[in-house]
Amino acid sequence: MALLAVGLAVETYAGQGDADGTIPLPARFEGSPGGVLAGWILTAVGLAMAGPGITHWCGRLLQAVRPGAVRLLAGRILMDEARRIGRPLGVVCAVASGALATATLYETGTGDFGPLSSLGAALVTACTTATLLTAALESKQYRTRTTEALLRLGAPPTVLRTAALLRAGVLLAVFLPLTWLVGELAAVPLR
């Protein structure tokens, strides 16, 4: 989280300066200070590194205040798999926040999006999403024995499905606002 905060601070500080140290970015962003690009990189790395911690925190949040069987199961699974799915989730969050910041810049008329920029954005988005889906599938395969044991003990399949939906819901409820907030803050220096 500290790296994320430092990245946002560097972006904001560099965005306030003059255009002496500009770096020519793709899609003709005029007058982009190099510090803003460094801040974007620090923010993306910070989100990727904070992903497992945020995922673990989501599991603890699910188990807070007298949890039932479904919430307890969902929270324990999230805490157990925080490292496996947290980092790809943080990277997807970083890519999505970068896309939001870029979309905000194009709405203000600051940049011009060309075909190679579109191809690059589509490639990065597809690769990060595929990595997240691969991590989720690996996590599901890792839990196969536990799921089979719970079913043998008489746990209804609806409990397992409800726990999976609860995990997905809490991750979306935490990561979507975080993505939006970081995307908006990342676009502030270039407006």
Side-chain angles (χ1 to χ4, degrees), residues 7-157:
L8 290 171
V10 167
E11 286 176 39
T12 305
Y13 181 74
Q16 292 175 356
D18 55 359
D20 289 347
T22 60
I23 294 177
L25 294 177
R28 290 179 233 120
F29 283 128
E30 300 298 329
S32 301
V36 173
L37 183 61
W40 277 4
I41 291 170
L42 285 174
T43 301
V45 170
L47 277 172
M49 292 180 71
I54 294 171
T55 305
H56 191 271
W57 178 79
C58 288
R60 286 215 181 254
L61 181 68
L62 276 174
Q63 298 178 66
V65 188
R66 289 193 254 166
V70 175
R71 282 182 36 209
L72 187 62
L73 180 63
R76 294 301 289 175
I77 289 173
L78 271 181
M79 288 172 59
D80 186 43
E81 297 174 352
R83 288 188 180 177
R84 186 174 291 113
I85 63 171
R87 198 162 311 254
L89 196 55
V91 171
V92 168
C93 183
V95 169
S97 65
L100 285 173
T102 304
T104 303
L105 290 175
Y106 286 119
E107 286 176 3
T108 62
T110 308
D112 196 15
F113 212 57
L116 289 179
S117 298
S118 300
L119 178 65
L123 183 64
V124 167
T125 303
C127 289
T128 55
T129 304
T131 302
L132 179 62
L133 292 175
T134 302
L137 182 62
E138 178 185 317
S139 175
K140 182 179 178 181
Q141 290 175 350
Y142 181 75
R143 285 191 324 267
T144 303
R145 288 184 189 163
T146 306
T147 303
E148 290 171 356
L150 285 171
L151 290 173
R152 274 194 313 266
L153 289 173

Side-chain angles (χ1 to χ4, degrees), residues 4 8 97 100 175-188:
L4 173 65
L8 290 171
S97 65
L100 285 173
F175 276 96
L176 282 179
L178 178 66
T179 301
W180 176 81
L181 179 67
V182 170
E184 287 296 316
L185 289 175
V188 167

